[in-house]
Each structure stands twice: as C-alpha cells, then as structure tokens.
Amino acid sequence: MSLPVPNSDALAASQALQRLIAAEIAEQGGAIPFSRFMELALYAPNLGYYSGGAAKLGRDGDFTTAPEISPLFGATLARASAAIMAQSGPNIIEFGAGTGKLARDVLTTLAELGVQIDSYTIIELSGELRARQQEALKDFPQVRWLNGMPEGFHGAVLANEVLDAMPVELVMKEGAGWTRQYVTIAAGAFTLIPGEIDAALLEQVERQIPDASTLQDGYLTEVHPVACGFMRSLAGMFKSGKGAALLCDYGFPAREYYFDERSSGTLMCHYRHHAHPDPFYLPGLQDITAHVDFTAMALAAQDAGLEVLAYMSQASFLLAAGIGELLLRTDPEDALRYLPQSKAVQKLVSPAEMGELFKVLLVGKGVEADPAIVRADRSHRL
C-alpha cells in the first residue's frame, strides 16, 4: 500500500502499542481473538486509536462524518429528537460525539425551535475528542460528560457512526462448521490464524447469519457480540424510563450482509482519508471498522424489551425528517450560500454517496415515531 508516512512521535506510539499487543499474545499462549486485537488497537489506554491523542476527524484526520459535511444533518436530527422528547423527557444522550459539531448543531436548532432541554449528556471514550468537544460546546451549559450509561433515562439518544467502531469477532466457514479467527505473530508480524469457536459465539453465528450452512468453504465474515451487547444496554437504560435511540451507521440487513460475493467480510480501515483492508497496518494510528448488521441490532434491542420503531436508508430518514425544508430556508437565488449547502445535502442523500449505504435504526420504549418517518419505514427488510 502507498499510504502517508506518520511522523516519528506517531510511529513511536504505534510501536509501543504493538509491543503491548505482542506481550498480551505471549501471555495468552501465542494468540488472542481478533476482537481483542481490535479492542486494543482502538481503545488501549493512551495508545489506542480512540484513546490516543491524534486527530481523528475532518481534513487533518482520517475520515469525515455526516455532521462534518453539513449542519443540516444535525438540524434534521434535532427535529427528530424534539419529537421524541415531547413524548418522553427534555434530555439527550449522544454516544461518541466526535468533534462536538453534531451536539452544537442539535442544540442550536433546538434553541431556534424554542425547545427547552434540561441535559445533553455525551459519553465519549476518547480523551482527545472529549477535549475538542469541551472547547466546541463551552457556550452550552446543559452539556455534561459521563464515562458510562446512566441507570435510567427519559429522552432521545443519538449514536452516529458508533456501532461500526465496536470490536467484532471474525469467523470463517470451514467444512460443515465455523472457526474463530485469532491474531498471532509470525515472521515478526501480526497475522490471522483459525482456532476453536466456543458455544456462545457459535450460537451468535447461527442466529446472526441467515442460511449459514450454505455459505462457501473459506467464507470470512464478522459477527457483532459487542454491538449487540450495546443494544441490550440501551434497553436497560430505558427500563425505568422512556424515549428512543437514533442509530446512524453504514451497513446492511442480514440478508444483504452475508452475500456469497462478500466472502472476505466488510472489515475496513481508515488512515489519512485512505481506505484499505489491512487491520494490522500501524495499530493505533488508523480506524478499524466493520459494517453493521442492522438485523442483529434490531433483534438484540427487541429481545431486550425495546420496540423497533423504524429502519430505513439515511436518505429516506433525512428527507422524511425534513432536511429538504431546512435547505429551502436558504433562498436558492442566493447561489453563494445555497449551492454549497445543496451540494452537501446531495452528498448526504445521494445513493452514490452516503444516502443508501448509511442506514438509520430507530428503537425505543413508550414513544411513537413521527408519522413521516413511519411512512418511510422499511423495517420489513430486516
């Protein structure tokens, strides 16, 4: 691969993380599950991608998210959140708030709508991103930060590109069964090897992958026990409350996720706005993600007591929630202001850009989805 060369400090940090991972591999007898490698690469204290100090988002980072593309994304989520809060409580929790731009856009729009909000809670694992958020949101006194979920909650939950960054298990079809993929060291480099799969993970595979027995030998893919656990935790948070969670991410329903043609899985890495498939390249300096199995997420939420309120493409959600109306608040005759906003919205909703690959899942308890969102619902595809 031809990728940008990191500076000496970044390279030293990656080498320190590689030594930490290698030490754990040695402690565990020569191999660790891929999920553990991914967890360390992303979240090892002070060294992992999300817990280290390097910039992640925007022009100087590794990738750009929807809130960075247009403030109308956040404004649209604010309208959807207002409808949820009107049925539950004047509170928002955002997981993984990035630079804080989504929070700022949501809070600004809610203020314009005259919607009072008691608290906007951010749950953020990255110290570097939390510092950026605190600077960006210093004028919003209702914002606070927590390290974990509250026990009870009434209101709206936002999670934009959160599920895709949760560690996944890699599994491979071998003959009539499945193997779990482990990370070992060979010739001085991290590499994958097959190993035994335990009963709990095998049960997850058999439940998550439709027609698993018919897939070709050597089929490699991901299953998502950590993300499913997150969905169950959301349900636990709403156990003594009510509200809904909006989860925006890239992925597919199960019937589209596990195609024969997708025999190498969906794992993808992002480094300096370059996408590539090697999770072992400069650990700690690149993002490692997998597409979301939205069927698995919906089932986990449903099994834990939440209702699946809606599922659709990002384009369908944004249009149903009123992004077109928000865009037209800028006069189309004012080309200098309108055209950049129109171009950004096009990127958010175009099938060739983010509009179809990204999906929105709405799950909740004790509330109903807005009628316009219900009309766009495609949860039958799950």
Side-chain angles (χ1 to χ4, degrees):
M1 294 182 296
S2 178
L3 296 174
V5 177
N7 62 39
S8 58
D9 289 342
L11 184 59
S14 177
Q15 291 169 342
L17 178 57
Q18 291 175 58
R19 290 193 294 272
L20 184 150
I21 296 172
E24 180 157 329
I25 288 173
E27 290 170 5
Q28 296 302 316
I32 57 174
F34 177 81
S35 58
R36 177 58 177 162
F37 171 87
M38 185 172 173
E39 180 183 2
L40 290 169
L42 296 180
Y43 302 110
N46 301 317
L47 295 173
Y49 181 76
Y50 284 108
S51 54
K56 296 3 178 231
L57 302 168
R59 184 177 60 186
D60 297 326
D62 301 300
F63 55 91
T64 300
T65 61
E68 308 293 322
I69 292 171
S70 171
L72 296 183
F73 181 82
T76 307
L77 264 62
R79 289 168 59 126
S81 298
I84 294 167
M85 290 189 293
Q87 303 173 68
S88 54
N91 307 291
I92 292 176
I93 290 178
E94 183 182 357
F95 288 92
T99 63
K101 190 173 187 308
L102 176 58
R104 189 173 70 239
D105 293 339
V106 167
L107 287 164
T108 299
T109 301
L110 290 174
E112 292 170 352
L113 294 172
V115 176
Q116 297 292 324
I117 178 168
D118 290 347
S119 67
Y120 193 111
T121 301
I122 293 174
I123 299 176
E124 178 61 66
L125 298 178
S126 167
E128 181 264 333
L129 289 175
R130 180 182 287 208
R132 293 178 69 178
Q133 294 157 15
Q134 290 170 338
E135 176 62 26
L137 300 167
K138 60 186 178 182
D139 296 328
F140 296 93
Q142 61 272 69
V143 179
R144 61 176 185 158
W145 282 261
L146 290 179
N147 293 322
M149 294 184 183
E151 291 185 4
F153 181 69
H154 295 265
V157 174
L158 304 176
N160 181 61
E161 292 198 51
V162 170
L163 294 171
D164 69 87
M166 294 185 179
V168 297
E169 294 283 359
L170 289 184
V171 295
M172 180 178 286
K173 177 78 181 302
E174 296 204 12
W178 291 82
T179 58
R180 186 185 196 183
Q181 298 298 293
Y182 289 77
V183 176
T184 190
I185 299 175
F190 296 122
T191 189
L192 288 174
I193 57 170
E196 291 186 2
I197 186 168
D198 61 32
L201 183 55
L202 183 59
E203 182 181 356
Q204 176 104 24
V205 169
E206 291 173 344
R207 186 173 192 207
Q208 189 169 323
I209 304 177
D211 304 320
S213 62
T214 67
L215 294 172
Q216 61 190 279
D217 195 35
Y219 189 97
L220 179 71
T221 192
E222 308 89 22
V223 289
H224 305 77
V226 175
C228 288
F230 173 79
M231 300 303 293
R232 291 190 291 271
S233 295
L234 278 182
M237 192 176 70
F238 281 121
K239 189 173 183 179
S240 60
K242 63 179 181 177
L246 278 164
L247 302 118
C248 311
D249 227 311
Y250 49 91
F252 313 99
R255 294 284 175 185
E256 297 174 22
Y257 198 113
Y258 304 102
F259 278 160
D260 286 340
E261 294 80 3
R262 198 170 285 123
S263 60
S264 298
T266 71
L267 204 72
M268 187 58 61
C269 305
H270 301 274
Y271 175 69
R272 303 279 191 87
H273 293 278
H274 292 73
H276 68 89
D278 182 5
F280 303 131
Y281 179 78
L282 294 178
L285 301 188
Q286 64 171 0
D287 194 15
I288 306 174
T289 74
H291 286 54
V292 176
D293 177 343
F294 280 100
T295 302
M297 300 306 108
L299 286 172
Q302 197 171 62
D303 289 349
L306 294 182
E307 181 182 356
V308 177
L309 302 174
Y311 165 78
M312 64 200 70
S313 68
Q314 177 174 287
S316 295
F317 171 79
L318 292 175
L319 292 170
I323 197 170
E325 177 187 332
L326 290 168
L327 174 62
L328 289 176
R329 290 183 180 181
T330 300
D331 185 355
E333 297 296 323
D334 184 355
L336 192 62
R337 293 179 61 238
Y338 178 81
L339 288 179
Q341 292 190 51
S342 176
K343 184 178 179 180
V345 169
Q346 179 71 8
K347 186 168 186 177
L348 293 173
V349 303
S350 168
E353 297 277 358
M354 299 175 71
E356 287 299 321
L357 176 59
F358 280 72
K359 311 295 194 308
V360 176
L361 177 65
L362 181 61
V363 297
K365 178 185 174 185
V367 300
E368 296 181 355
D370 183 90
I373 292 175
V374 172
R375 287 193 293 272
D377 178 41
R378 295 294 181 269
S379 57
H380 62 275
R381 294 181 60 185
L382 291 169

